[in-house]
């Protein structure tokens, strides 16, 4: 059986060589990508790139994933976007023209581009392909795998005719090692790379690198074609000891002493606490040299940075420098995420122990019904609430309070600037609106409305600034809770004592309540002529049950302040608290009027009340008496919150007939009040009379002919008014003839004020900060605008506009992400501009061409990756840079040199550093100490180029290039060596 099965097994082991292998499939996939991207054919014929185009131009890339068996690769096409040269009438390139990449190897217009792909810097190409391992794949380390990939791209380029160079990334990614190839008609360029950690001593200078280059190209021609050399040395400046601290030193004698940034109420701090510019990189370049012009070996070097024909500078910016405004905003944003209430933060502590003394606010109502002899003025809900809170505040130990009394008083005076006016004129009977409004920032039109914020002179705005300041400097959330508690107590104090709250945007309702209350008090005061106290205009509760002798005489807030032994807290207008007490006593005092049940039979003889003035020539329909416009109650003010709340309640009633009827009754309170006033002013009136005044369109008049043939005008209610169950008819039948002064108030200011104060009292610090966040962002944007106007940075102006628009979107989002706000980045840019201006001496009052040139230079440093220095080391900017390096070198010698004591004695003063010195001014410091103007270069880049026949003397002369990077911990050689594949 074994013999029978052998032939079958041999048949199945036959390999089918017509089936493509994984390697062939990989090569085919690469060719498909090249065809899809239309990279087939000649790439020659394009014009050479302009000078600096690699930096200013737009680089684009596109990628595609390909597989080698189960190993993932990514192929990426990098190219410089250029205008198409088609249609220019140029002749087509010759068939044997060099590929575009070979032409770029010799181009000198874009050496050392500051911002480009590393292969662009090393090889000067404007278009290339890179095959790299996938994101989660291991690096290509083994030599066999590298050769396999290089073979694959070589075959792909040959089969497709693609002339774009293709690279393969090998070794670990951090090493940036690439190997590649470029093919053209009869030519090929191999891209090779060497990467070492240390620079070999024999190759630590130009002469050694020239030897490597010559040996690699292996040209036997005599004399050797000239080698073009471009050299760049980079020097790094890190020491800024001669630069002053970016923030003003703190004033320890001020109220906010010891705080950085000169903080005061009404102003947000600004600026960096550390230098936002960490390093300055000076690149000295010799763009066009030949081998015989310059000497650089292990003994001597002609490469003096001061003699370099071209200087360029770039700055390295500190990552996330600490900035005051950014820290303020960040800490404020954190408050929005806290969950604790004010009581949880401050703790009840001694407040709970005061329960025996009835200090608990919940006992306020039971306190009113106690049989103990309590003075009448103290019997009020607001007084009990205020007394309990006052006791809580009094029993909090001083060391437990996050804010000191001095700090708290200063904050409250800033929040309520009219308090200073009150103290200076507390003997006056009334308060005036003329008080000094604080304007912490210049007002920017429509900015606060764009952010749904408040004007910069409003109380909300000032409160937001104080909360932000207290949160950052004086205890965080505990200090905010303390401030808010005191703020609410101040609001209650002002309500009870009839002091308007100026600049309060968020709760205008409280001011409306205070104004109504003040109006009643003023009316009561004018009618108090030694007689029995009369009822208030807007109604009130009768205290007749206590007897007139038990009711204290009317007193005002100012009179109470002058009474001996009577404090502000002991004063209470308890009589003003119960306004809903329309009882039988009122009807006894005011007998029933016309239109009411039980009234006189002859309603036309009832005494009219509450008349304002006649309504033109109109007369009552039944009696012919003149029609009078009545004195009516003012409608209740409605805030945005109340309107929203009312809309929700009305919407919940549904669309049923019963719901609609109930909704109409709720909305007819004002109508009913006006009807009662109209009946009181016009005894004997009917609904038609009221409609003629109140809604003339619902009274239709027409001319008719009576029985005697005379033309008369006859009127009737409109069809809408005749609908059965009409709300107007029901309200008219219900309305009593009651003047406005004796009606139940439409707007109960006491109730509404207590609602507002309760709403404020239950706010958590997180809720408070969320409400004040638009004001803080408003203040931050104003601060940025103010600081930017001093610096005049075009990019910052645009950034502020974008940040404002973005902040508006974030605030309108239901769950805003405060981390996305861009205000902190704008502050960093302004701080960097100030740092650079200080370093280059801008803003010291100097004028002239040099000053303008320096300002332009500093502005360019902020916006461009690298800026050329006009005049190199001899120009105004170059001279300052030279001074900075000289100063840093001497300071370094003082701290780390062998002769530090002697160097310290000979260190230059500031005046010495202010003098501009050239190469001829450099002298030993004394005692044989020679201080170099510049430190050793942090990086050296040497570019060697030539065009020689290779590999044989009779081959085509082809471009050869070697880019050398010499650093302290890196030695890199990136070579591009071309060879003739036709004549070798």
């Amino acid at each position: 059986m074994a013999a029978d099965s052998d032939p079958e097994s041999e048949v199945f082991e036959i390999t089918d060589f017509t089936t493509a292998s994984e390697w062939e499939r990989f090569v085919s996939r690469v060719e498909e990508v090249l065809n899809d991207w239309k990279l087939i054919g000649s790439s020659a014929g394009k014009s050479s790139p302009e000078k600096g185009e690699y930096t200013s131009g737009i680089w684009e890339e596109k990628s595609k994933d390909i597989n080698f068996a189960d190993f993932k690769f990514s192929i990426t096409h990098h190219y410089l976007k250029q205008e198409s040269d088609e249609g220019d009438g140029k002749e087509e390139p010759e068939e044997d023209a060099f590929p575009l990449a070979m032409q770029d190897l010799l181009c000198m217009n874009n050496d050392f581009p500051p911002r480009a792909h590393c292969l662009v810097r090393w090889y000067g190409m404007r278009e290339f392909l890179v095959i790299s391992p996938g994101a989660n794949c291991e690096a290509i380390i083994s030599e066999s795998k590298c050769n396999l990939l290089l073979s694959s791209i070589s075959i792909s380029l040959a089969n497709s005719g693609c002339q774009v160079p293709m690279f393969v990334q090998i070794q670990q990614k951090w090493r940036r090692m690439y190997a590649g190839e470029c093919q053209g008609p009869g030519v090929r360029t191999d891209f090779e790379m060497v990467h070492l950690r240390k620079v070999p001593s024999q190759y630590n200078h130009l002469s050694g690198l020239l030897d490597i280059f010559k040996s690699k190209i292996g040209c036997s021609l005599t004399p050797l074609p000239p080698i073009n050399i471009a050299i760049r040395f980079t020097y790094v400046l890190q020491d800024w000891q001669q630069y002053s601290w970016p923030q003003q030193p703190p004033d320890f004698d001020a109220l906010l002493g010891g705080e950085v940034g000169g903080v005061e109420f009404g102003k947000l701090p600004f600026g960096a606490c550390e230098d936002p510019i960490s390093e300055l990189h000076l690149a000295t370049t010799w763009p066009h040299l030949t081998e015989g012009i310059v000497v650089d070996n292990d003994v001597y070097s002609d490469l003096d940075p001061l003699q370099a024909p071209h200087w360029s500078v770039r700055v390295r910016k500190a990552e996330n420098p600490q900035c005051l405004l950014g820290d303020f905003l960040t800490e404020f944003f954190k408050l929005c995420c806290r969950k604790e209430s004010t009581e949880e933060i401050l703790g009840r502590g001694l407040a709970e122990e005061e329960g025996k003394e009835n200090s608990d606010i919940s006992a306020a109502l039971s306190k009113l019904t106690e049989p103990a002899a309590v003075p009448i003025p103290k019997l009020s809900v607001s007084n009990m609430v205020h007394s309990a809170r006052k006791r809580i505040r009094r029993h909090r130990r001083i060391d437990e309070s996050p804010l000191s009394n001095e700090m708290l008083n200063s904050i409250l005076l800033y929040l309520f600037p009219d308090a200073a006016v009150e103290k200076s004129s507390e003997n006056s009977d009334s308060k005036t609106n003329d008080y000094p409004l604080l304007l912490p920032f210049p007002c920017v039109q429509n900015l606060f409305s764009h952010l749904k914020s408040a004007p910069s002179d409003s109380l909300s705005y000032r409160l937001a600034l104080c909360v932000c300041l207290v949160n950052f400097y004086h205890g965080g959330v505990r200090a905010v809770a303390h401030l808010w508690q005191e703020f609410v107590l101040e609001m209650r104090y002002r309500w009870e004592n009839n002091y308007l709250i100026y600049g309060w945007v968020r709760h205008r309702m409280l001011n409306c309540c205070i104004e109504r209350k003040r109006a009643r008090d003023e009316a009561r005061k004018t009618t108090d002529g030694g007689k029995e106290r009369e009822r208030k205009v807007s109604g009130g509760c009768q205290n007749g049950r206590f007897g007139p002798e038990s009711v204290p005489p009317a007193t005002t807030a100012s009179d109470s302040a002058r009474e001996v032994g009577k404090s502000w807290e002991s004063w209470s207008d308890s009589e003003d608290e119960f306004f809903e007490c329309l009882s039988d006593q009122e009807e006894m005092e005011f007998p029933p009027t016309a239109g009411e049940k039980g009234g006189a039979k002859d309603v036309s003889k009832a005494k009219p009340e509450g008349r304002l003035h006649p309504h033109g020539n109109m007369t009552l329909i039944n009696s012919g008496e003149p029609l009078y416009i009545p004195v009516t109650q003012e409608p209740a003010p409605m805030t945005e919150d109340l309107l929203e709340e009312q809309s929700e309640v009305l919407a919940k009633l549904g669309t049923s007939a019963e719901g609609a009827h109930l909704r109409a009754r709720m909305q007819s309170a004002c109508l009913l009040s006006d009807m009662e006033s109209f009946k009181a002013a016009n005894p004997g009136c009917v609904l038609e009379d009221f409609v003629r005044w109140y809604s003339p369109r619902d009274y239709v008049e027409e001319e008719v002919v009576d029985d005697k043939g005379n033309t008369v005008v006859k009127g009737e209610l409109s069809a809408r008014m005749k609908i059965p169950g009409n709300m107007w008819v029901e309200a008219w039948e219900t309305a009593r003839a009651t003047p406005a002064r004796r009606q139940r108030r439409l707007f109960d200011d006491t109730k509404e004020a207590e609602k507002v104060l309760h709403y404020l009292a239950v706010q958590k610090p997180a809720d408070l900060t969320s409400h004040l966040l638009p004001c803080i962002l408003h203040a931050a944007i104003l601060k940025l605008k103010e600081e930017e106007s001093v610096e005049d940075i075009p990019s910052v102006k645009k950034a502020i506009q974008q940040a404002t628009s973005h902040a508006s979107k974030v605030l309108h989002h239901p769950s805003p992400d405060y981390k996305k706000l861009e205000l902190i980045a704008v502050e960093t840019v302004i701080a960097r501009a100030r740092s650079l201006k200080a370093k280059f001496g801008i803003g010291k009052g100097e004028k002239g061409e040099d000053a303008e040139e320096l300002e332009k230079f500093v502005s360019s440093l902020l916006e461009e990756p690298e800026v050329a220095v006009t005049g190199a080391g001899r120009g105004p900017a170059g001279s300052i840079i030279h001074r900075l390096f000289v100063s840093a070198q001497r300071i370094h010698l003082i701290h780390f040199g062998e002769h530090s004591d002697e160097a310290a004695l000979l260190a230059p003063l500031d005046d010495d550093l202010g003098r501009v010195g050239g190469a001829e001014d450099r002298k030993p410091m004394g005692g044989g100490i020679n201080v170099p103007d510049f430190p050793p270069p942090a990086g050296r880049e040497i570019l060697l180029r030539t065009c020689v026949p290779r590999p044989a003397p009779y081959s085509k002369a082809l471009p050869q290039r070697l880019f050398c990077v010499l650093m302290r911990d890196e030695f890199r050689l990136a070579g591009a060596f071309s060879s003739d594949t036709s004549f070798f």
Side-chain angles (χ1 to χ4, degrees), residues 565-576:
K566 211 171 189 182
S567 64
W568 286 105
E569 288 78 6
S570 65
W571 157 250
S572 173
D573 50 352
S574 61
E575 305 85 356
D576 300 342

Side-chain angles (χ1 to χ4, degrees), residues 778-796:
H778 180 197
I781 292 173
L782 289 182
K783 186 65 176 178
L784 290 173
K785 287 179 175 288
E786 177 187 341
E787 300 295 335
E788 185 278 330
S789 63
V790 178
E791 305 301 331
D792 192 19
I793 309 171
S795 61
V796 172

Side-chain angles (χ1 to χ4, degrees), residues 637-654:
M638 299 291 288
T639 62
E640 183 179 352
D641 298 335
L642 289 176
L643 285 173
E644 185 178 351
E645 181 181 348
Q646 186 184 55
S647 299
E648 292 179 359
V649 172
L650 296 177
K652 289 179 180 178
L653 295 177

Side-chain angles (χ1 to χ4, degrees), residues 253-455:
D253 296 329
L255 178 63
L256 302 176
E259 307 301 349
V260 177
V263 184
E264 60 184 76
F265 293 124
K267 293 185 179 179
L268 289 176
F270 189 85
C273 292
E274 56 184 296
D275 198 337
I277 303 296
S278 59
E279 295 179 357
L280 182 143
H281 293 196
L282 170 65
T284 59
T285 306
W286 293 263
H288 304 293
L289 298 175
T290 54
E291 185 177 358
I293 293 179
V294 64
V295 176
D296 180 43
N297 51 39
D298 55 352
V299 178
Y300 175 79
S301 176
D302 289 332
L303 301 175
D304 183 359
L306 283 175
Q307 304 300 325
H310 185 269
W311 277 20
S312 58
V313 173
R314 67 168 64 190
V315 291
R316 184 175 181 180
K317 300 153 187 174
E319 296 183 3
N320 302 321
Q322 181 185 1
C323 294
L324 292 176
L325 180 60
D327 290 349
F328 263 56
L329 294 179
T330 302
E331 293 299 322
F332 195 84
F333 296 154
K334 290 179 181 178
L335 271 183
C336 299
C337 304
R338 301 292 294 263
K339 303 296 183 182
E340 304 93 333
S341 66
T342 302
E343 290 185 350
E344 291 172 345
I345 294 170
L346 296 179
R348 294 176 178 84
L350 294 174
E352 294 178 345
E353 299 177 3
E354 293 295 321
K356 297 180 181 179
E357 302 178 14
N358 294 322
S359 63
D360 192 352
I361 299 172
S362 63
L365 294 176
S366 61
K367 183 79 172 178
L368 297 175
T369 60
E370 287 182 0
V374 181
I376 297 301
K378 293 186 178 180
L379 288 178
S380 69
V381 175
S382 61
N383 191 55
M384 297 302 296
V385 171
H386 181 69
S387 177
R389 289 189 177 275
K390 176 193 171 190
R391 198 165 295 152
I392 292 173
R393 176 174 55 179
R394 186 174 65 247
H395 284 279
R396 186 192 295 129
R397 292 195 299 267
I398 296 177
D399 56 350
E400 290 180 351
S401 300
L403 298 175
S404 64
N405 289 335
E406 183 184 8
M407 173 66 65
L408 192 58
N409 291 334
S410 299
I411 293 176
L412 292 177
L413 279 176
Y414 169 69
L415 292 176
F416 303 97
D418 56 326
V421 181
E422 292 167 11
K423 289 184 178 182
S424 62
S425 59
E426 65 179 352
N427 292 330
S428 61
D429 292 334
S430 61
K431 299 294 175 272
T432 176
N433 290 2
D434 298 331
Y435 69 95
L437 281 178
L438 299 183
L439 300 175
F441 301 107
C443 185
V444 178
Q445 188 177 9
N446 295 331
L447 178 59
F448 68 89
S449 60
H450 188 60
L451 296 174
K452 295 195 73 173
S453 173

Side-chain angles (χ1 to χ4, degrees), residues 117-131:
H117 193 280
C118 59
L119 292 176
V120 177
R121 188 176 185 88
W122 296 335
Y123 297 116
M125 297 175 299
R126 74 187 87 170
E127 185 179 19
F128 56 93
L129 295 155
V130 177
I131 296 178

Side-chain angles (χ1 to χ4, degrees), residues 17-166:
F17 290 98
T18 60
T19 303
S21 64
E22 293 293 343
W23 175 62
E24 291 173 317
R25 291 193 184 101
F26 176 73
V27 173
S28 176
R29 291 190 188 101
V30 174
E31 294 177 12
E32 289 177 4
V33 172
L34 296 178
N35 279 283
D36 292 343
W37 288 346
K38 299 180 181 180
L39 300 178
I40 309 302
S42 175
S43 62
K46 293 184 179 179
S47 59
S48 298
E50 298 179 359
K51 190 173 184 63
E53 189 175 357
Y54 283 7
T55 303
S56 59
I58 301 174
W59 286 89
E60 296 185 354
E61 62 179 58
K62 48 187 175 181
S63 300
K64 202 166 187 178
D65 294 334
I66 56 177
N67 292 341
F68 192 129
D70 57 349
F71 196 94
K72 293 183 179 180
F73 287 94
S74 175
I75 181 169
T76 306
H77 180 211
H78 300 265
Y79 59 96
L80 177 66
K81 189 176 181 180
Q82 292 179 292
E83 296 181 0
S84 177
D85 293 329
E86 296 179 2
D88 292 344
K90 294 183 179 180
E91 297 181 359
E92 294 186 1
E94 301 178 1
E95 293 184 0
D96 57 349
F98 289 163
L100 194 64
M102 289 190 181
Q103 300 175 25
D104 291 341
L105 292 177
L106 298 178
C107 182
M108 300 182 184
N109 291 337
N110 290 279
D111 293 343
F112 313 112
R115 184 166 52 192
H117 193 280
C118 59
L119 292 176
V120 177
R121 188 176 185 88
W122 296 335
Y123 297 116
M125 297 175 299
R126 74 187 87 170
E127 185 179 19
F128 56 93
L129 295 155
V130 177
I131 296 178
S132 56
N136 298 321
C137 299
E138 60 182 8
I140 308 299
I141 298 177
S142 66
E143 186 176 357
S144 60
K145 291 182 179 179
C146 295
N147 291 333
L148 182 62
L149 286 174
L150 289 173
S151 301
S152 302
I153 66 172
S154 181
I155 294 174
S156 300
L157 293 175
N159 291 343
S160 62
C162 176
Q163 296 187 6
V164 177
M166 187 178 297

Side-chain angles (χ1 to χ4, degrees), residues 711-729:
T711 302
V712 295
V713 177
K714 185 178 181 180
E716 62 178 353
L717 295 176
S718 64
R720 183 171 74 97
M721 290 294 177
K722 295 180 180 180
I723 297 176
N726 183 272
M727 200 68 233
W728 286 55
V729 177

